């Protein structure tokens, strides 16, 4: 048995831990051979691959990023994309494919498996934690820790200058990173995509904070939307999956707060720093377990499934179920933390 492995979409702390778990168990317990496809779905589309063995994965557990590279390539939009993938898999002698990625990467895997007979197993990866079939995705814990540390540091400079600091975090259309890091970092306002925000209320919270002689920190998710307007974007360019590039709401919000309150405001956009660097202990643990269970799924012929965390157990769910809808923040959870606003 030869198994292909690819990492698609945005890079994420913990990807290398998954690869290591897959290869170590696959080689040592099942005697499998492995081929790593480069740069997400571009690898099997173009036949770009490398050999994966135990020496190749030695020492990669604490490394961020992915040794295989990644991309947002969508082979289903490429002419003869499915045929090219099938031919390249056959040319490399690959019997099954493990796709490690988020909504888009796994969406391709689901269609290839269900509609075209390509044997795929999925592993959920996204810092956004927005896949509904799993309690957590690896990469999320690291991203939250990085954002929380940044907020901790920004408190001191905000107090020194008595200005508003707006922190824009990632998450696309889910507010999990903003919610967790904002609460952990003691933010005074947290704005998420699931709840349209009232700009007058935000300014009232900011003013209230200044009356108490403290400088406020506002954490805003990149997909947050004002109640009386549209999503704020720097540009409207789309990726190969048709997703618009988010970012811009933080800068817009700081300008509006300064204009309405008369208080100086600045913006910090954390951006890709949330994706990079060493994965946290939890993300290494979760990613490793996902890798071990993914290769078990290949051994059992459980194609068309994705490994997922339920409580402390790793289970298998249909990939289509995992990508059918986004996991978003429950309004009750957001309401629960409202006591800290202002």
């Amino acid at each position: 048995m030869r198994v292909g492995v690819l990492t698609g979409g945005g890079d994420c702390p913990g990807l290398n831990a998954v690869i290591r778990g897959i290869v170590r168990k696959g080689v040592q317990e099942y005697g499998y051979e492995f081929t790593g496809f480069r740069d997400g779905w571009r690898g099997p589309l173009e036949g770009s691959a490398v050999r994966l063995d135990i020496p190749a994965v030695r020492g990669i557990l604490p490394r961020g990023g992915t040794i295989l590279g990644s991309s947002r390539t969508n082979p289903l939009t490429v002419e003869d994309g499915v045929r090219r993938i099938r031919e390249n898999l056959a040319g490399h002698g690959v019997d099954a494919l493990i796709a490690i990625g988020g909504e888009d990467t796994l969406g391709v895997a689901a269609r290839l498996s269900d509609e075209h007979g390509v044997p795929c197993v999925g592993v959920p990866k996204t810092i956004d934690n927005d896949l509904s079939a799993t309690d957590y995705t690896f990469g999320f814990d690291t991203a939250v820790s990085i954002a929380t540390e940044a907020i901790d540091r920004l408190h001191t400079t905000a107090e020194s200058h008595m200005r508003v600091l707006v922190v824009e975090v990632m998450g696309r259309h889910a507010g999990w990173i903003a919610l967790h890091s904002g609460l952990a970092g003691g933010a005074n306002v947290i704005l998420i995509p699931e709840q349209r925000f009232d700009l007058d209320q935000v300014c009232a919270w900011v003013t209230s904070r200044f009356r108490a002689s403290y400088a406020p920190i506002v954490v805003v998710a990149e997909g947050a939307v004002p109640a009386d307007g549209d999503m704020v974007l720097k540009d409207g360019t789309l990726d190969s999956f048709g997703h618009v590039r988010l970012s811009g709401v933080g800068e817009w919000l700081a300008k509006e707060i300064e204009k309405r309150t008369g208080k100086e405001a600045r913006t910090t956009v954390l951006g890709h720093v949330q994706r990079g660097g060493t994965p946290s202990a939890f993300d290494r643990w979760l990613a490793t377990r996902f890798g071990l269970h993914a290769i078990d799924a290949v051994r059992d012929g459980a194609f068309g499934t994705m490994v997922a965390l339920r409580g402390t157990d790793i289970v298998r769910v249909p990939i289509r179920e995992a990508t059918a809808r986004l996991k978003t923040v429950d309004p009750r959870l957001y309401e629960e933390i409202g006591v800290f606003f202002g």
Side-chain angles (χ1 to χ4, degrees):
M1 169 78 78
R2 179 176 291 275
V3 181
V5 181
L6 65 82
T7 54
D11 64 293
C12 177
L15 283 167
N16 289 323
V18 181
I19 298 168
R20 174 178 174 268
I22 291 169
V23 173
R24 285 288 297 271
K25 188 169 189 178
V27 171
Q28 291 176 196
E29 295 200 10
Y30 304 138
Y32 293 166
E33 296 180 337
F34 291 89
T35 295
F37 288 100
R38 292 189 179 278
D39 303 329
W41 286 112
R42 186 183 299 155
L45 187 66
E46 299 178 355
S48 177
V50 295
R51 181 185 178 187
L52 286 178
D53 53 19
I54 290 180
V57 300
R58 187 169 292 134
I60 68 172
L61 177 63
R63 287 177 55 184
T66 165
I67 61 170
L68 294 177
S70 190
S71 74
R72 297 190 184 277
T73 302
N74 183 356
L76 301 180
T77 63
V78 177
E79 184 176 357
D80 291 332
V82 174
R83 177 188 61 78
R84 290 167 59 183
I85 286 177
R86 293 174 67 95
E87 288 180 355
N88 285 323
L89 292 179
H92 284 88
V94 170
D95 304 296
L97 183 65
I98 298 176
I100 309 166
E103 173 193 8
D104 298 322
T105 300
L106 295 180
V108 172
R111 290 190 58 185
L112 288 176
S113 183
D114 294 349
E115 300 173 17
H116 303 285
V118 178
C120 294
V121 167
V123 176
K125 171 246 42 161
T126 169
I127 66 169
D128 303 332
N129 196 41
D130 60 359
L131 288 174
S132 61
T134 184
D135 289 351
Y136 287 98
T137 53
F138 67 89
F140 172 68
D141 185 71
T142 304
V144 168
S145 297
I146 292 169
T148 301
E149 181 181 354
I151 295 167
D152 287 345
R153 293 175 179 274
L154 289 169
H155 273 291
T156 58
T157 188
E159 298 290 350
S160 296
H161 295 275
M162 289 303 290
R163 61 166 60 123
V164 184
L165 282 181
V166 177
V167 185
E168 181 184 298
V169 299
M170 285 182 163
R172 295 200 60 79
H173 302 293
W176 294 109
I177 295 177
L179 188 76
H180 282 240
S181 64
L183 183 61
N188 311 108
V189 182
I190 302 172
L191 306 176
I192 62 175
E194 293 86 345
Q195 299 284 329
R196 284 179 171 259
F197 62 88
D198 183 332
L199 190 53
D200 289 334
Q201 178 63 74
V202 172
C203 291
W205 284 326
V206 166
T207 301
S208 172
R209 182 69 173 175
F210 276 113
R211 281 200 298 265
S213 298
Y214 291 101
I217 299 286
V218 178
V219 173
V220 58
E222 61 185 358
V225 183
D228 57 354
D230 299 320
M231 183 176 291
V232 180
L233 302 170
K234 283 186 176 180
D235 61 68
T237 57
L238 305 177
D239 64 19
S240 62
F241 289 92
H243 298 312
V244 68
R245 293 177 58 189
L246 300 183
S247 188
V249 66
E251 185 176 346
W252 174 86
L253 185 60
K255 290 178 180 178
E256 288 294 322
I257 290 173
E258 184 167 307
K259 181 171 65 177
R260 295 180 181 222
T261 67
K263 300 295 185 180
E264 189 178 10
R266 294 288 185 272
T267 308
T268 297
V269 180
L270 296 184
H272 290 82
V273 70
Q274 295 159 94
R275 293 190 181 279
T278 301
S280 68
F282 178 82
D283 281 340
R284 298 185 205 187
W285 174 86
L286 179 58
T288 298
R289 292 192 70 202
F290 276 161
L292 299 177
H293 284 263
I295 197 61
D296 285 347
V298 170
R299 177 203 58 184
D300 296 342
F303 302 119
T305 66
M306 182 194 85
V307 293
L309 180 68
R310 297 281 176 84
T312 58
D313 295 329
I314 304 296
V315 300
R316 298 171 189 168
V317 298
I319 301 178
R320 281 197 180 276
E321 175 186 323
T323 58
R325 63 181 180 86
L326 292 180
K327 179 176 67 180
T328 53
V329 174
D330 189 316
R332 293 172 298 179
L333 184 58
Y334 185 67
E335 182 180 354
E336 181 180 287
I337 67 169
V339 66
F340 296 108
F341 293 177

